[in-house]
């Protein structure tokens, strides 16, 4: 079985490598800050959350919703840029828990699908608390607006587990879809990344390449929420094009200029990096 | 007293913030890689070493030389770029140990001077083992060349502690001087950094400013060893000038072009950042 320190370090390093890779079109990277969310905020968040990933990987039966809430809180230990890693935390907490039950990546793939199914109503409530700390665009159903306190009543009355919440969000949210479908995009990203790196490309190049590949195939949830599905599909087509033409810097400038940030794809990349590091990547 | 997790996280975040600050003249930063030592290697090293800083801060009486050796080994857990953080480890291990005995920065200042005095001959031997893993330019005396196995015999025969070794290196090595003089440059750097940050400058700017200030006052040991004291003093004069003129990017390009890297100043900055973070900096 993977050791809890190793698991937590893979999670942390995944966050650091993702935010550092550049040019990572439209997102914060080591050469681009947003006005209120800067590169340093991501470093602070990655350092702050480590202890929670370690807890998640310690097999002590901590509730998953509580860990997500703790990680969101720990993300702010130093940095005041706000929500740096909410989606990443949503991916990494179950991945860390499942890694602690696994001795290789294949086992992880099986276990992570099981871990998320075991969530409770309490997990759902904690998850909504985590939401209320950050300003995240989420897939809402009318009955379950996270900004509406009445949602908490609905959860309790209808006995909705966190997994149920993810089922409800699955049609509109890639990360929820990862939860309910066994993280297939996460593992696909890990395969793309590994293959690219093994063929002799630098780690930075391999991460950017994987980012463009996933974005090309999967319209970004955050862009969908902010700008609608039409633009999200357009951006995916542009990403495919950038991968073929190699004009990544141009694509980056275009998205940055229009403040279109594929944040969900960044979250996926972190999950893929976690799997790759756990599998033994060294650079 | 500071908590061990908090102490170790301050050490890790100090490493990450230092390597990320840019332009940091002549050194690896988030926009500059060296050919074989890249930015990612520093991220990997910062993630790898955390557990050793946590041990150092746990008050379990681990020997300081053994911790330095362990940290140097842990630095390579993922990255294969080589010596990313040797000097930083030499600063951070005693600082973490002293922080565990301290309830504020003033106490840390007193305690760190005491911690280093308590080293043993065994610490000196472990320290030399750590050296043999990395390719560091060090202040050597003829009798104590770290590349010469006979040095180990000399240490044992003459009963030299690690503190004694630092005393011998003090005339030629700023980090050794920190050990024997109570880390005055570390704390001065922390004061400069804090003052600059509090006056409204960004964290990145404050780190670069502190780097230039320290480099301006203290000829860089690594430059001295590689190129001689004359050039080291010239670089310090240039650093002062860059601080006044604001032409930091130019200074950076000049040093990078000539492969003159003020690595010891980067180690000092990490120590200063550690003290500042421990003192409560948030950004």
């Amino acid at each position: 079985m993977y050791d809890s320190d190793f698991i937590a370090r893979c999670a942390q390093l995944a966050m650091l490598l993702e935010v550092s890779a550049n040019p990572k079109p439209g997102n914060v990277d080591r050469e681009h800050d947003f006005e209120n969310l800067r590169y340093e905020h991501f470093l602070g968040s990655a350092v702050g959350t480590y202890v929670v990933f370690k807890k998640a990987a310690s097999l002590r039966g901590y509730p998953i919703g509580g860990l997500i809430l703790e990680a969101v809180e720990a993300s702010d230990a130093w940095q005041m840029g706000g929500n740096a890693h909410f989606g990443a935390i949503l991916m990494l907490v179950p991945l860390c828990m499942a890694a602690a039950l696994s001795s290789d990546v294949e086992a992880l793939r099986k276990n992570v699908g099981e871990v998320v199914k075991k969530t409770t109503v309490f997990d759902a409530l904690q998850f909504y608390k985590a939401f209320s700390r950050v300003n995240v665009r989420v897939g809402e159903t009318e009955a379950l607006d996270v900004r509406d306190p009445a949602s908490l009543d609905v959860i309790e009355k209808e006995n909705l587990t966190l997994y149920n919440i993810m089922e409800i969000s699955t049609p509109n949210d890639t990360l929820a879809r990862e939860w309910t479908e066994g993280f297939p995009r996460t593992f696909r990203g890990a395969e793309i990344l590994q293959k690219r790196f093994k063929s002799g490309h630098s780690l930075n190049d391999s991460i950017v390449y994987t980012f463009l590949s996933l974005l090309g195939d999967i319209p970004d949830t955050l862009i969908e929420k902010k700008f609608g599905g039409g633009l999200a599909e357009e951006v995916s087509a542009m990403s495919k094009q950038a991968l073929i033409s190699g004009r990544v810097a141009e694509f980056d400038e275009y998205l940055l200029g229009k403040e279109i940030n594929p944040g969900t794809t960044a979250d996926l990349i972190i999950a893929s990096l976690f799997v790759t590091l756990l599998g033994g990547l060294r650079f």
Side-chain angles (χ1 to χ4, degrees), chain A residues 77-99:
Chain A
W78 279 277
Q79 58 94 13
M80 303 189 286
N83 168 35
H85 280 131
F86 189 87
I89 288 166
L90 191 58
M91 296 286 100
L92 288 173
V93 166
L95 282 167
C96 286
M97 291 170 78

Side-chain angles (χ1 to χ4, degrees), chain A residues 2-277:
Chain A
Y2 293 114
D3 161 79
S4 64
D5 269 322
F6 177 65
I7 295 168
R9 297 204 285 184
C10 288
Q12 184 180 53
L13 189 52
M15 292 164 111
L16 292 171
L17 290 173
E18 183 280 322
V19 72
S20 300
N22 87 304
K24 211 168 55 275
N27 284 324
V28 170
D29 67 23
R30 76 174 88 161
E31 292 186 11
H32 291 119
D33 294 325
F34 294 160
E35 202 185 325
N36 294 315
L37 186 58
R38 293 193 313 277
Y39 181 75
E40 295 91 273
H41 293 139
F42 288 83
L43 301 183
S45 174
V47 171
T49 48
Y50 173 87
V51 286
V52 186
F53 296 127
K54 166 122 196 206
K55 258 174 125 169
S58 74
L59 287 176
R60 300 270 177 81
Y62 293 111
I64 192 164
L67 288 168
I68 290 169
L69 175 58
E70 264 188 62
V72 167
E73 288 167 354
S75 167
D76 299 342
W78 279 277
Q79 58 94 13
M80 303 189 286
N83 168 35
H85 280 131
F86 189 87
I89 288 166
L90 191 58
M91 296 286 100
L92 288 173
V93 166
L95 282 167
C96 286
M97 291 170 78
L101 303 165
S102 310
S103 51
D104 59 30
V105 167
E106 265 323 296
L108 173 68
R109 192 196 289 260
K110 203 186 115 279
N111 288 327
V112 72
E114 297 302 313
V115 161
V116 294
K117 279 184 195 146
K118 287 183 191 146
T119 57
T120 63
V121 176
F122 180 68
D123 289 321
L125 295 171
Q126 296 288 83
F127 177 71
Y128 270 71
K129 247 193 219 171
F131 258 145
S132 72
R133 274 187 68 98
V134 289
N135 220 341
V136 191
R137 281 171 193 270
V138 282
E140 298 140 23
T141 63
E142 277 197 18
L144 288 165
D145 185 331
V146 294
R147 280 169 286 259
D148 178 4
S151 301
L152 299 180
D153 294 338
V154 177
I155 289 172
E156 287 202 297
K157 214 181 322 169
E158 302 196 9
N159 251 318
L160 297 173
T161 68
L162 182 48
Y163 188 77
N164 295 146
I165 302 285
M166 293 297 167
E167 286 178 319
I168 296 167
S169 304
T170 282
N172 315 307
D173 190 315
T174 299
L175 302 186
R177 214 171 297 145
E178 284 296 272
W179 267 57
T180 57
E181 295 177 357
F183 293 70
R185 295 155 199 85
T186 295
F187 287 91
R188 199 201 318 159
E191 279 157 24
I192 296 169
L193 179 54
Q194 217 168 355
K195 196 172 156 196
R196 180 82 177 172
F197 184 69
K198 276 197 181 155
S199 72
H201 293 86
S202 75
L203 185 54
N204 184 73
D205 170 284
S206 306
I207 298 170
V208 172
Y209 180 89
T210 308
F211 182 90
L212 293 170
S213 304
L214 290 188
L215 181 56
D217 284 344
I218 313 158
D220 189 87
T221 298
L222 186 63
I223 298 178
E224 275 171 6
K225 309 273 176 209
K226 275 191 187 170
F227 303 98
L231 186 69
E233 281 184 25
E234 222 175 278
V235 168
S236 287
M238 289 173 77
S239 187
K240 269 191 181 146
Q241 206 48 50
L243 202 56
I244 295 165
S245 68
R247 290 156 88 165
V248 184
E250 234 167 81
F251 181 39
D252 186 25
E253 270 160 44
Y254 175 81
L255 293 182
L256 288 172
K258 296 203 176 285
E259 300 188 12
I260 302 171
N261 65 311
T264 305
T265 308
D267 299 331
L268 272 183
I269 289 291
I270 290 177
S272 297
L273 268 164
F274 171 79
V275 171
T276 313
L277 290 166

